[in-house]
Amino acid sequence: MNGWGSGYVTDVTYMTGYYRSQSPSIISLACLLCSVASPLPGPDDAVSYVELGCGQGLTSLVLAASNPHWKVTSIDFNPAHIAAARAWAAQAGLENVTFLEADLSTLGEDPASAQVPEADFVSMHGLWSWVPPAVQHGIVRLLRAKVKPGGAVHVSFNALPAWGGALGLQRVLRDCGRRLGSRSDRQAEEGLKLVQALRDADALQIVRQPWVHALVERMGPMPTQYLAHEYMNDAWVPCFHADLAAALSGAKLEWVGSASLIENFPDLTLTPEQRAIAQRFDDPLLRELVKDMCIDRSLRHDVFVRGARRMNTAARDAALMDVRLSLNIAASEMPYEADMPAGRAGLNRAFYGPIAQAMATGPQRVGDLLALPEIDGKRDNPAELIGILVGLDVAEPAARPRAAPTEQALRFNRVTTEILARTENFGRPLAAASYALGTGAPATLFELHAMNRLLSGDSEAQLGDWVRDIGVNLDDEGRGKLRQVFERALHVKLPIMRAQGVL
Ligand SMILES: C[S@@+](CC[C@H](N)C(=O)[O-])C[C@H]1O[C@@H](n2cnc3c(N)ncnc32)[C@H](O)[C@@H]1O
């Protein structure tokens, strides 16, 4: 490590990622589903969005490129991250995003904080549990100064008790890895090898704990940059939800609900017996504690507001009926069964089938979907429809339904594809900027690549050239798979992205 990061990894950069739960449309939906007023940003709203610990900045960049009226301000203390993010914004010609190099432990008191505007939305993904108390205190002071009354804050963090069983794993990976490697990513690599050796040697703290055992399996294919930022920090410590809520109350923030939208529905999250225990409490924090005991929530995505304006059911449902949703999948791919925290659940085909069909042509208003004559099911529950469709990643809220793609978003998507093709694994889930959605449209790099080849004048018949260019290091089998991926991109995904206003 370089020594200036107060024990946070600074000698390797973090990987690039887009995280939809950081988007104001998801944050607002979480509030509305929990009956707290936080209108989804309107098409012309001048939203002020602030991201803390933005890393390489992709989420902020996608949001800025999708919303020309927004002012996006993104902060990280690693100059390598800020330099990369600024270069990306400049190459894409984005003028509504500012990347600020600053240490959150002192920014609140620094004259540089004048560059951070008051915020309607703040998001911090992968920051809170990974930084020392001095940084957490600095974050709270900054939030106290900068979140507007009524503003919403999204925080993701490693949560207890789910993480409790893996404390030993992290300690071994970090402390032993440090003895075996020099740079943080090499240390993480060596630490993981040691953890895997312990697993193979039947170490009780791994093999007798199914969650920890499964975690070790999941870590195998992870990029070493990810492992370094996840496991090698001095101060990493998971915490209970109520302790985070107590800390953020110092910024007058009140807990509202989860940005993992399904988790806001007790029926989908807990068994009847578990619900009966949770319902003994009217304190929402204690209910969450019971929930955290019952389900596997190692990474929580929570939403807080500064000044909760409670809505009655009629007002909430009226707001939800007006939400526009856009399908992320083909109508034929609509899932009729899904894994929920409470177990596998069936989705009524006679209800969701016609709804998916109606959405195939483009974004639809929730109230109009629930009024479709052909659906068979409850027409008076917009919360459940939104919770299921958006919570299962099947649909995205649309801020400007059917708006044409902007030059800005098209340019950003082209530049982003070029940048990521040089640096990232092609299979990672990413997002394209969409003015129509006002948020990211989910897309892989293969799909972005196919889109850009078409937009730059290629015909579909040139798919063989794309396979040859991208699959230059692949054998015949690999090229065959790549062809299938591009064929799906052309025939399934690009029509969806068209309906989402990406192209
Ligand atoms: C795990 S990464 C997450 C990055 C990004 N949010 C993402 O999910 O891709 C945490 C980020 O917080 C930044 N960070 C850590 N300590 C910080 C501090 N004291 N001030 C500002 N940024 C900090 C790191 O440089 C890193 O980019």
Side-chain angles (χ1 to χ4, degrees):
M1 263 183 247
N2 295 332
W4 52 262
S6 310
Y8 188 91
V9 166
T10 52
D11 55 352
V12 291
T13 54
Y14 195 54
M15 34 178 234
T16 309
Y18 172 82
Y19 305 98
R20 90 197 261 266
S21 51
Q22 297 193 267
S23 168
S25 57
I26 301 290
I27 298 171
S28 287
L29 276 185
C31 292
L32 287 178
L33 291 176
C34 297
S35 301
V36 168
S38 174
L40 271 80
D44 301 319
D45 286 356
V47 167
S48 167
Y49 177 87
V50 172
E51 185 180 1
L52 308 181
C54 62
Q56 309 260 356
L58 180 59
T59 302
S60 286
L61 288 160
V62 169
L63 293 174
S66 304
N67 297 286
H69 311 102
W70 290 15
K71 183 173 176 50
V72 175
T73 309
S74 309
I75 301 159
D76 201 286
F77 76 165
N78 189 328
H81 289 162
I82 295 299
R86 282 182 182 167
W88 197 330
Q91 207 180 325
L94 277 181
E95 289 179 357
N96 60 334
V97 58
T98 304
F99 287 98
L100 193 60
E101 183 196 323
D103 191 323
L104 290 163
S105 60
T106 50
L107 179 59
E109 298 68 47
D110 193 304
S113 70
Q115 295 175 59
V116 183
E118 284 199 327
D120 299 290
F121 295 92
V122 178
S123 176
M124 48 185 131
H125 176 56
L127 181 71
W128 186 264
S129 337
W130 290 264
V131 293
V135 181
Q136 294 177 342
H137 296 152
I139 290 170
V140 174
R141 291 194 300 276
L142 190 70
L143 294 175
R144 191 179 169 88
K146 299 293 182 180
V147 179
K148 287 184 189 173
V153 176
H154 158 263
V155 189
S156 75
F157 66 103
N158 279 164
L160 289 172
W163 253 103
L167 290 174
L169 174 153
Q170 186 269 345
R171 192 65 181 231
V172 164
L173 196 156
R174 190 191 67 194
D175 289 4
C176 298
R178 281 183 181 166
R179 295 280 173 91
L180 296 168
S182 50
R183 230 172 45 193
S184 300
D185 51 347
R186 299 200 180 118
Q187 293 171 350
E189 207 170 7
E190 293 302 326
L192 176 60
K193 281 189 208 153
L194 197 86
V195 166
Q196 289 165 332
L198 282 170
R199 173 205 53 199
D200 296 344
D202 283 338
L204 189 114
Q205 297 296 340
I206 297 175
V207 295
R208 292 275 177 86
Q209 300 197 74
W211 186 80
V212 181
H213 200 221
L215 177 64
V216 176
E217 299 305 310
R218 282 203 305 276
M219 285 158 72
M222 298 287 191
T224 49
Q225 287 164 287
Y226 167 81
L227 293 174
H229 281 259
E230 192 76 11
Y231 293 98
M232 299 308 299
N233 297 307
D234 279 354
W236 174 84
V237 61
C239 72
F240 283 99
H241 163 254
D243 295 341
L244 171 67
L248 294 188
S249 69
K252 297 189 183 173
L253 291 166
E254 184 178 342
W255 180 72
V256 174
S258 176
S260 304
L261 299 185
I262 296 283
E263 291 172 9
N264 297 310
F265 294 83
D267 297 7
L268 301 174
T269 315
L270 301 175
T271 65
E273 296 77 15
Q274 294 166 347
R275 276 202 307 276
I277 298 173
Q279 279 159 7
R280 286 191 212 166
F281 304 96
D282 61 4
D283 179 342
L285 300 188
L286 290 179
R287 287 189 178 186
E288 283 303 295
L289 178 59
V290 172
K291 212 188 259 184
D292 277 334
M293 284 297 289
C294 295
I295 66 174
D296 166 18
R297 267 206 289 195
S298 48
L299 180 72
R300 288 187 57 123
H301 283 278
D302 283 293
V303 175
F304 297 78
V305 293
R306 180 166 176 146
R309 290 163 292 158
R310 308 272 167 209
M311 307 166 89
N312 62 27
T313 308
R316 177 193 84 151
D317 285 357
L320 291 174
M321 286 287 191
D322 231 12
V323 170
R324 269 77 168 165
L325 294 182
S326 166
L327 213 51
N328 289 332
I329 56 171
S332 58
E333 295 173 322
M334 180 71 206
Y336 295 105
E337 277 196 1
D339 282 323
M340 304 287 181
R344 197 139 180 91
L347 301 184
N348 177 7
R349 191 177 281 268
F351 181 76
Y352 286 100
I355 284 180
Q357 283 301 337
M359 293 171 73
T361 55
Q364 302 288 338
R365 194 178 153 270
V366 167
D368 296 342
L369 290 171
L370 289 172
L372 287 171
E374 58 271 38
I375 62 169
D376 177 9
K378 284 173 69 179
R379 295 171 182 276
D380 60 352
N381 196 344
E384 187 171 297
L385 178 64
I386 292 173
I388 294 283
L389 292 183
V390 183
L392 291 179
D393 296 2
V394 164
E396 226 57 51
R400 307 173 190 95
R402 296 174 197 271
T406 54
E407 279 306 316
Q408 175 64 86
L410 287 169
R411 178 171 170 183
F412 172 77
N413 291 335
R414 181 170 43 73
V415 164
T416 295
T417 311
E418 285 162 10
I419 290 176
L420 291 180
R422 288 196 296 268
T423 56
E424 299 278 332
N425 173 353
F426 254 78
R428 278 175 58 70
L430 297 164
S434 163
Y435 177 69
L437 297 187
T439 191
T444 65
L445 196 44
F446 290 116
E447 291 158 352
L448 290 175
H449 186 80
M451 173 178 85
N452 286 321
R453 295 286 289 239
L454 287 185
L455 290 176
S456 20
D458 276 16
S459 74
E460 294 188 8
Q462 283 168 281
L463 187 146
D465 299 344
W466 310 351
V467 174
R468 198 196 51 226
D469 294 350
I470 299 291
V472 65
N473 295 322
L474 297 178
D475 58 14
D476 284 351
E477 192 189 343
R479 277 197 293 274
K481 285 190 183 147
L482 187 56
R483 170 172 276 280
Q484 285 172 6
V485 168
F486 278 136
E487 275 169 356
R488 189 190 133 75
L490 275 182
H491 304 305
V492 180
K493 189 63 184 188
L494 290 191
I496 297 166
M497 290 166 76
R498 251 184 215 107
Q500 296 191 315
V502 178
L503 70 158

